[in-house]
Structure formats: C-alpha cells, structure tokens
DNA sequence: TTGAAAGCGCTAACAG
DNA sequence: CTGTTAGCGCTTTCAA
C-alpha cells in the first residue's frame, strides 16, 4: 500500500540499506546512486515512517506539552513560545489541555509516555507535587512551568510572583489607596499564594494601609469567578478601594462587577491584574497589570528541555529560571 | 532499560505472546494467568510502547490538528471541541500552529503524515486549495474547517458565512445606519469574501443604504490591522456610520481607532464583529457580533474525521456541515 | 489456553 | 561504496 524503502530499493536495484543511507544523507553512498534513489523516492511519493524510525532510534523527536486551560490567552502565548523553539530544533509537540483537572493531567502524562515523547513540559493544574508525580517525572526529562514551587525535583521556569505582587501593591499604595483587596485563583496554588505574599508585604510596609482577611478571596482562574467574588463583596457592602486580582481574566470579571454596580474604575476602585494578556489592552478594558513573560517562558522551557534531552540522564541537572515581572500601567489603576 | 513484555513474560514464566494477550484483554487467556501478568506488569511499572504497537497495527490513534493562529481566541475554542471529542473516542491530537503561513502549514502536514497520524483536521491558512493540496489530502482522512469553499474534495465544517454577513448588515440597516463599511481579513479568503457577500446583499436590498468600494478594506486577521485600517479611514475623513468587521479581533481594533479619534461607539459609528470570542464580552468592549459555533465546529470536525477513519477509504464519503450563525447584540451596534 | 515464529518499516553494525 | 543481517517492541497467525 504505502511505499517503503524496500519498494524503492527494488526499483533502484539496490539493497534497502543503501536506500536508508541515501535518504539520510549518510556518508559512503555513491553520489549517482544517491541521486537516483532520491529521484525514485520522490517520484513514488515516499514518506518516511517516523514510527518505524522511532522504534529503532528510541527517540521520536516529539515533546509533550500539557497546559491547564487553552482558553485562557495566557497559555496559548506560552505554547507559541514552546512551539517556535521546538520547531526550530526539529521537534514537534503534542499539545494537551488538562482543563485544570489533575486526573486528566495524569492521564495525559501517562499517554505521552506511552507515545514515547522525548520530554515533557508541564504547566501543572495543581501546585502540590506528590511523591507519585515525582516518580513519574523521573522517567523522562521534564520541565515545569508557571506556578511551581522550587525544589520540585525538576527544572522549572516561573515568573517572580512575590515580586510581581509586591510591585502591584506598592503601585496601588503610591496611588493613595488604603483599603486593599486580593482576589486569587485556587487557594492552594503556589503562584496565587506567592503573589499574595508579595502584595501582603507591600501592604504591611505602609502603616495606613489595610488588607484585611475578609478582603482576601479565592475562586478559580476564570473571569466568572472574578465577577462572582466581587459582586458578593459589593453586595455585602464590603468595599475596597483597590483590588489586585491574581490574573487578568479574574481582573476583567472584577471590573465588570464593579461597573455593573454603578461604581467607577479606577475612580472608586482601582483594579490591577497579572499576566498582561492581549485582551487586557482591548478597547476600554485598559487593564493595568503585571507583565508575565509568557512567550519567553515557553521558549525557555523548551530550550531547557531540549538541552536535557541531549544529555545522558546522569548528566542532566535541574535548572530553575525566574523571570522578571513588570508593571504595565493602563487605565484601571 | 525500559520494561517490555519480554521482561514480564520472563518473570511470569510464560511466552510474551501470552503477555500481549493478557495486557490487551483478549479472549483465551486463563484468568489466573492474566491476573498474575497484570500484577507483574504494574509492579514493574510497565508502560506499553505505543510506537511499537503503531508500527504493527498501522494506526496510531492520533490525529493532527493544524490551526493558523493559536493566539486568536477563536481557534483555541475550536481546538477544545476537537480535543474533547477526540479524547472521548480514545484519540490524542498533535496540535500545530501554522501562524497563517502556508509553507509552515505544508511542512506540518508532511510531518504529521510522517508521524502517521490516522487523520487530519485543518483550518487552512489560505483559502485556495491547490491541486497539490488535494493530492496530499487524498493520502489520509482529512476534514477542513472554517474558511473553505465547498467542493474542496474533502469533508468540511463551516459556518454559514453569507448568512452571517447578511444578518449583520440587516441589523445595522434596521438601526438606521446608511453608510456601511466592511473591514475584512485577507482579501483572498473565502470566509472573508462570503461574509462580505452576505453583507453586500443586505446593503443592496435597501435603497437608501450605501456600501461604496472605498469603504471595503482588507488586511489580516489581527486587531492591529483593524486599528490601522480604521485609523486611515478616519484620517481621510472617509467616515462610515457603521462597520462590519470580518472577525472580532479586527472589530476590537476598529473600536479602538474610533475611540482614539474622539468619536463614540455606537453613537457615531456602530461596530459589529464576527466569531463571538470571549473577549467580545469583556468589560466595556461589549461588542455586538455574530456567534460562530466554535466549540461545536471542532467537535463536529473530530466526529466526522473519526467516523472516516473507521471506514475503508472507498467507503469514505465527504460531508459538508454548515453551521448557523446567530446575532449577539451587545453595546457597540 | 498457550507457544513459536513471522513481520510491521526502519537503522546500524559487520562484512565484503 | 554496498549488501547481509539482526533487532527495536509489539501483534497476530498457525500449531500444538
């Protein structure tokens, strides 16, 4: 049915080892034989079988990438970084979407290992890395991204969340805000915790500023969650004059809730987000936020992974790269 | 190194054929032997080699998905549909991003074929389908999505673009708009053309409404393009009272340009988009638009492809599914 | 119910 | 420079 090197060999009147050599531009093939083989191959519409090659070479030139939410513009941006870098190095990627579901994530990891990917880049859906996870990650080169604590036993690329939170807090305080509020994604997430930590530090550093526990709320990472939480706060007349949301989607939801209640952003309540997704700059959203080097993060993760892949397991060492956040001032704060 | 069925066979004291049978839940294995084998397999941390299996079964349970722009929220939404459906049916996907680059797209198609995907879902980066494309698509089951003319020689899933354009036009006219403007993506794109066609029909149907050629402009599919084109129009004092943009990202750019010039949306100029991406509902964007059944489109494409995959080539017939657009009224028109 | 053996398409020694 | 051969890890006849 499909043409194989044997078919080519037959037509060219050589052994199929020679065809393999010619096709792979190996030394020791007569130029004219090679030319002939190449010609026949292309005339027969030959497509090398990467599966068969993978079986013998024990590498597939494929890496797995698992992200928790392809629908949050943050992750596609990261994925682009991973993909561009991988493609440049001759690798293709299996992109999987765990949908913030740890079980699904684990299923994908298992599947990707079965498909014998050469390495794995993972933006984990949960921050806690269990002993079991560790054991799995030890089976192949892994790089973790975004929302991973250090000492995870693998390489990782993250933004400096504490610093980002601190910058956000400082900025709001400088703007004269007194009653701060923090709205985070999952409560057990490291990045959410760290961003809070930085924000809290900033609040603590100023005597006249409050960040009371009843203005620290958690939900998930989606816009609706920001809307719901803020709406509740407003309905309970528990009204801050500044909100730091742990990502832009939440921040956008927060803004919607505020405006729906008749209050103004930033006049009545300042809002600041995190990630700097494209939508943050749209029209009158004009969200003030913290730049999260998304593309760069993906690029770095892929680079580190590919480097690892080329090394013998015992030579692989774990790196942790921490990227710098940056304040992006727009209109909401 | 890694555990194979031979290792298991040895430990269990059976032939490796038996192990294969047990692992695959085939008939004709003594239940107690099977239990023992399963136990040994799991204790040895056995992970089946999908590469080896793919080689003999000549199917990989993998499908390729190529989209032109992972950064446009439209496509991730479609991808989710594809992925959910595929996963349900036991397939995983290779997601590739062609970045609106036909060459890159072709490279990916070739690569995916080499990786022996069982089928391909493609949102083409260019509308024109060449003879060469056709030939490639004939090598494996293919479903085209979004922006494909009928008679492409493969199955396809699209939205009714003409109807969508018509709905948009009708709505603007009902609102009393007289001087219409169309801002499209790539000029040679079918969806862009079809949306224009419907829009044009609506304009034609009303005597007092104009849609003059100098208010029909094309660029690419990105926000910046909408901004640039609209800005130019405004600077040239060529000012419509309603704009239909061929996607939401363009529309958002258009709105930004209008507001930057001091004019108001929708008071001075109504704006309507296409796709209904999540960002269209954000904050004060509140874009009026045409719902494009994104997730459903992905789901359907995957469903059709998987159905094809199960059929012998000569039994495969091409389907064309046309989805209904729907007007989503918000604030900008 | 099980084993032996062939073969999927390819690469990589080893000879020649 | 080229051919022969073994083998990657698995499934699948064919016999037993």
């Amino acid at each position: 049915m499909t043409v194989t090197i044997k078919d080519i060999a037959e037509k060219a009147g050589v052994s199929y080892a020679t065809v393999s050599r010619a096709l792979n531009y190996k030394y020791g093939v007569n130029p004219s034989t090679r030319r002939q083989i190449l010609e026949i191959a292309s005339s027969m519409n030959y497509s090398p079988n990467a599966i068969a090659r993978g079986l013998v070479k024990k590498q597939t030139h494929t890496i797995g990438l698992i992200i928790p939410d392809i629908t949050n513009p943050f992750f596609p941006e990261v994925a682009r970084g991973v993909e561009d870098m991988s493609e440049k190095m001759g690798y293709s990627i299996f992109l999987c979407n765990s949908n913030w579901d740890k079980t699904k994530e684990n299923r994908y990891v298992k599947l990707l290992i079965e498909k014998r990917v050469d390495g794995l880049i993972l933006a984990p859906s949960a921050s806690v890395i269990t002993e079991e996870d560790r054991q799995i990650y030890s089976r192949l080169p892994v790089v973790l991204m975004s929302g991973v604590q250090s000492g995870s036993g693998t390489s990782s690329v993250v933004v400096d969340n504490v610093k980002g939170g601190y910058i956000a807090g400082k900025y709001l305080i400088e703007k004269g805000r007194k009653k701060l509020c923090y709205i985070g994604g999952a409560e057990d997430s490291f990045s959410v915790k760290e961003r809070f930590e930085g924000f809290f530090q900033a609040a603590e550093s100023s005597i006249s500023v409050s960040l009371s526990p009843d203005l620290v709320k958690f939900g998930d990472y989606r816009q609706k969650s920001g809307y719901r939480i803020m709406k509740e706060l407003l309905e309970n007349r528990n009204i801050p004059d500044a909100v730091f949301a742990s990502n832009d989607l939440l921040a956008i939801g927060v803004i919607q809730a505020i405006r729906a209640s008749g209050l103004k952003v930033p006049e009545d309540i300042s809002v600041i987000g995190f990630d700097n997704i494209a939508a943050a700059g749209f029209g009158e959203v004009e969200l003030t936020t913290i730049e999260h080097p998304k593309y760069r993060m993906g690029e770095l993760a892929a680079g580190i992974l590919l480097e690892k892949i080329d090394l013998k397991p015992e030579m692989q060492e774990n790196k942790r790269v921490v990227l710098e956040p940056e304040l992006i001032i727009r209109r909401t704060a």
Side-chain angles (χ1 to χ4, degrees), chain A:
Chain A
M1 192 54 232
T2 51
V3 347
T4 72
I5 49 173
K6 284 194 183 168
D7 301 320
I8 300 177
E10 199 170 339
K11 224 174 196 170
V14 295
S15 79
Y16 63 88
T18 303
V19 175
S20 172
R21 287 188 199 107
L23 257 21
N24 290 294
Y25 296 89
K26 288 255 165 77
Y27 287 111
V29 181
N30 185 309
S32 87
T33 338
R34 150 164 315 139
R35 206 162 332 120
Q36 196 204 156
I37 290 174
L38 257 32
E39 207 161 283
I40 293 179
S42 109
S43 83
M44 294 181 86
N45 247 320
Y46 170 72
S47 161
N49 186 327
I51 294 295
R53 173 181 292 158
L55 186 58
V56 12
K57 309 236 332 183
K58 286 168 174 303
Q59 49 165 313
T60 53
H61 275 262
T62 304
I63 72 182
L65 170 61
I66 307 181
I67 56 177
D69 187 2
I70 198 176
T71 264
N72 177 341
F74 172 73
F75 292 106
E77 204 67 55
V78 175
R80 259 191 6 101
V82 172
E83 206 201 13
D84 286 356
M85 176 60 89
S86 307
E87 204 217 350
K88 206 179 299 172
M89 312 291 282
Y91 281 73
S92 35
I93 75 175
F94 266 119
L95 175 37
C96 310
N97 184 227
S98 70
N99 213 21
W100 297 113
D101 179 346
K102 182 73 178 168
T103 314
K104 204 172 168 191
E105 179 184 306
N106 286 154
R107 262 213 315 281
Y108 272 130
V109 172
K110 204 173 138 241
L111 188 71
L112 290 168
I113 292 180
E114 289 186 3
K115 289 200 181 281
R116 297 295 189 264
V117 294
D118 296 334
L120 193 57
I121 297 180
L122 183 59
S125 62
S127 290
V128 274
I129 293 179
T130 65
E131 196 40 56
E132 203 192 336
D133 292 334
R134 257 174 227 283
Q135 210 213 323
I136 293 174
Y137 301 162
S138 72
R139 303 184 61 163
L140 78 173
V142 172
V143 175
L144 264 27
M145 272 187 323
S146 167
V148 218
Q149 62 181 323
S150 63
S152 54
T154 58
S155 291
S156 56
V157 183
V158 295
V159 72
D160 188 336
N161 287 305
V162 176
K163 183 162 177 186
Y166 186 81
I167 292 175
K170 266 295 180 204
Y171 176 70
L172 292 172
I173 293 168
E174 270 166 26
K175 285 281 195 173
R177 299 301 165 166
K178 304 286 182 208
K179 195 175 174 190
L180 307 187
C181 167
Y182 180 74
I183 295 183
E187 187 164 3
D188 60 357
S189 144
F190 271 95
S191 50
V192 170
K193 272 186 200 149
E194 288 180 343
R195 287 169 201 182
F196 173 73
E197 191 186 320
F199 190 59
F200 184 77
Q201 280 172 19
E204 285 285 279
S205 70
S206 176
I207 191 99
S208 57
V209 166
S210 77
L211 173 52
S212 81
D214 58 334
L215 282 178
V216 176
K217 301 285 182 189
F218 301 93
D220 62 34
Y221 300 91
R222 299 181 176 105
Q223 186 195 352
K224 274 191 187 157
S225 179
Y227 183 84
R228 189 180 42 70
I229 294 172
M230 193 66 215
K231 190 166 165 241
E232 222 172 278
L233 251 31
L234 292 167
E235 277 167 358
N236 297 339
R237 318 289 319 139
N238 195 356
I239 305 182
D241 60 8
V243 177
F244 172 40
S246 76
N247 78 22
D248 287 348
L249 251 23
L250 283 168
I252 286 166
V254 165
I255 293 173
Q256 281 179 317
I258 295 174
R259 288 186 172 149
S261 80
L263 292 174
K264 288 195 158 181
V265 178
E267 292 80 354
D268 301 310
I269 307 179
S270 291
V271 178
I272 185 164
F274 202 112
D275 284 351
N276 192 25
I277 61 175
F282 284 176
E284 302 231 340
V285 174
E286 287 299 327
L287 180 66
T288 293
T289 187
I290 306 287
E291 160 71 10
H292 193 159
K294 302 168 279 294
Y295 184 88
R296 185 76 189 125
M297 174 179 275
E299 236 185 11
L300 276 168
I304 293 173
L305 183 70
L306 266 20
E307 224 170 63
K308 255 193 178 178
I309 289 176
D310 281 341
L311 258 39
K312 291 195 172 52
E314 60 277 17
M315 291 277 92
Q316 296 173 9
E317 48 179 28
N318 291 324
K319 279 186 190 168
R320 182 170 174 88
V321 177
V322 178
L323 270 19
E324 282 297 299
E326 190 191 337
L327 181 66
I328 307 288
I329 301 175
R330 294 208 184 82
R331 225 180 45 82
T332 63

